[in-house]
Amino acid sequence: MAEFVNKETLFDPSESFKASQAMPLMRDGFFEPVRQLDGGKPTEDVAIQDNSIAPSAADVRVDTEEEAPADDLQTISLLNTNNGMHVRLWAKDDTRTVTLKHSTEQLYGIRLAGETDKQLSTTSYIELKRDGDYWNEIVSDSVTNQSVP
């Protein structure tokens, strides 16, 4: 059976503490890991900047930097993510090529199955899992004509 902490230890019971002060703390701190789960946030559109992205949602459409015809994605920032988070990457625009670069040594690098670079698609995704300071490919969905979340 779960044990719950006495409610008086969760909040300052003094009159100077208002419930309205607790709500932003609960909303921003408690729910952020939940928002990273599949469906926790809407699909996020991000553009590559200096060969990197900083996602905060589970489903991410990736675009090239400044809408260039092609771009490489070498790293994924850990800033908005928790260890163990999964992200599904899609290409935002099928007229621009986004290539995931496989790396085993670069900090925040992407470790792809088969140790080969892969191109993102608008009709299928590549799923990565954050494992410490790296991102490991766990699923490549080659089914085409599926809807992007």
Side-chain angles (χ1 to χ4, degrees), residues 45-70:
D45 291 336
V46 297
I48 296 172
Q49 294 181 351
D50 298 322
N51 300 101
S52 185
I53 60 171
S56 62
D59 287 299
V60 181
R61 285 186 296 240
V62 182
D63 202 357
T64 59
E65 189 166 7
E66 298 181 4
E67 299 181 354

Side-chain angles (χ1 to χ4, degrees), residues 5 10 12-13 15 19 22 31 37 41 49-50 52 56 63 68 70 92 95 109 133 141:
V5 178
L10 294 176
D12 180 353
E15 291 193 25
F31 290 115
L37 297 173
K41 282 186 178 178
Q49 294 181 351
D50 298 322
S52 185
S56 62
D63 202 357
K92 182 178 178 187
T95 64
D133 291 335
D141 181 16

